[in-house]
Amino acid sequence: GRAGEAARDPSFEGVDWEHIQLGHRIRLVKRHAYCTDDLWLLGVFFQLCDLEDIHGDSVKLLMKTLKFFRLCDYSAEDICSVLAHASSYFSTVHALRGEQMDSREVGYALATLMFLAHSFLQDETCPLHIWHQYLFRKYCPLKTLNTAVIRLMELLRYVLRLMDADLAYRFHALLGTIQPQWAHPRHHLREQPR
């Protein structure tokens, strides 16, 4: 469905925070969520990224990034595909540079990886200067963001396509949280294919 079809519940009543990865962090920024689905998506995204903790400012940035996609009217499937790719990219980047990233940088790296995935996957993309204006303006100048994009591309060896099994696993884990026909239990991801 299109973004407008996402279940909007500004009170977020009934959300089982204990079953959302880093739910204690997500709960603090729930007012920045577009819809309840985004709380679950972000939790599964954190699971796929193998994050045990993250800075609150990073959670806020990533929630705003999901809202950005929704306001640009991307479908749930498109958003899940972007998140699937970005989570896989993060695994590579974190393996190479994770020790050098502080908890705030993790959020900006994840948001920038979402930009890369979005640029790779979508026919009609939102340019980097718009991402900067909406999401990164307070963090860094556009030139610095552009340099970060290039650096992340270098770390990924300019390969943005995922192996089919990896993509399917990640995509279905994400989409299954918001569309039951794709679902497995929300609080338990199946073992990832190797």
Side-chain angles (χ1 to χ4, degrees):
R2 299 302 291 173
E5 297 173 21
R8 302 260 354 238
D9 177 10
S11 69
F12 302 109
E13 288 184 29
V15 173
D16 188 359
W17 296 104
E18 291 180 19
H19 286 105
I20 297 177
Q21 179 80 5
L22 300 175
H24 67 287
R25 296 274 190 217
I26 295 171
R27 186 178 203 163
L28 297 174
V29 299
K30 67 184 180 187
R31 69 182 179 90
H32 297 285
Y34 180 83
C35 60
T36 304
D37 286 352
D38 291 352
L39 307 173
W40 289 103
L41 280 176
L42 196 54
V44 172
F45 180 68
F46 289 157
Q47 271 184 291
L48 293 170
C49 292
D50 201 25
L51 290 176
E52 294 179 18
D53 202 9
I54 188 170
H55 194 277
D57 290 344
S58 293
V59 179
K60 180 180 172 183
L61 170 68
L62 296 170
M63 190 63 73
K64 289 175 76 173
T65 305
L66 289 178
K67 187 175 190 175
F68 179 72
F69 283 126
R70 300 280 188 184
L71 293 173
C72 291
D73 205 30
Y74 286 100
S75 69
E77 292 84 359
D78 287 342
I79 294 168
C80 289
S81 188
V82 166
L83 294 176
H85 280 76
S87 66
S88 182
Y89 301 162
F90 182 75
S91 297
T92 301
V93 169
H94 193 262
L96 296 170
R97 295 285 185 249
E99 298 296 320
Q100 298 160 353
M101 280 191 267
D102 69 31
S103 59
R104 280 197 172 115
E105 286 176 299
V106 166
Y108 286 99
L110 286 167
T112 306
L113 291 168
M114 287 181 195
F115 168 78
L116 284 176
H118 153 82
S119 298
F120 173 67
L121 295 166
Q122 298 299 309
D123 291 331
E124 293 185 33
T125 61
C126 189
L128 186 61
H129 74 272
I130 302 295
W131 281 68
H132 179 265
Q133 180 181 356
Y134 187 76
L135 298 166
F136 293 92
R137 166 175 44 88
K138 294 179 182 175
Y139 181 67
C140 66
L142 179 58
K143 186 175 181 178
T144 303
L145 179 58
N146 191 56
T147 301
V149 167
I150 299 302
R151 181 66 184 130
L152 289 169
M153 291 282 294
E154 289 170 352
L155 291 172
L156 295 169
R157 297 184 180 169
Y158 301 94
V159 177
L160 299 180
R161 187 179 191 285
L162 302 185
M163 300 297 290
D164 290 342
D166 187 32
L167 174 58
Y169 167 77
R170 292 170 186 278
F171 178 79
H172 288 106
L174 289 154
L175 195 59
T177 65
I178 57 174
Q179 293 185 359
Q181 67 269 28
W182 294 97
H184 49 280
R186 284 189 166 146
H187 60 279
H188 176 72
L189 292 178
R190 294 182 300 235
E191 185 157 327
Q192 184 172 356
R194 301 268 172 215

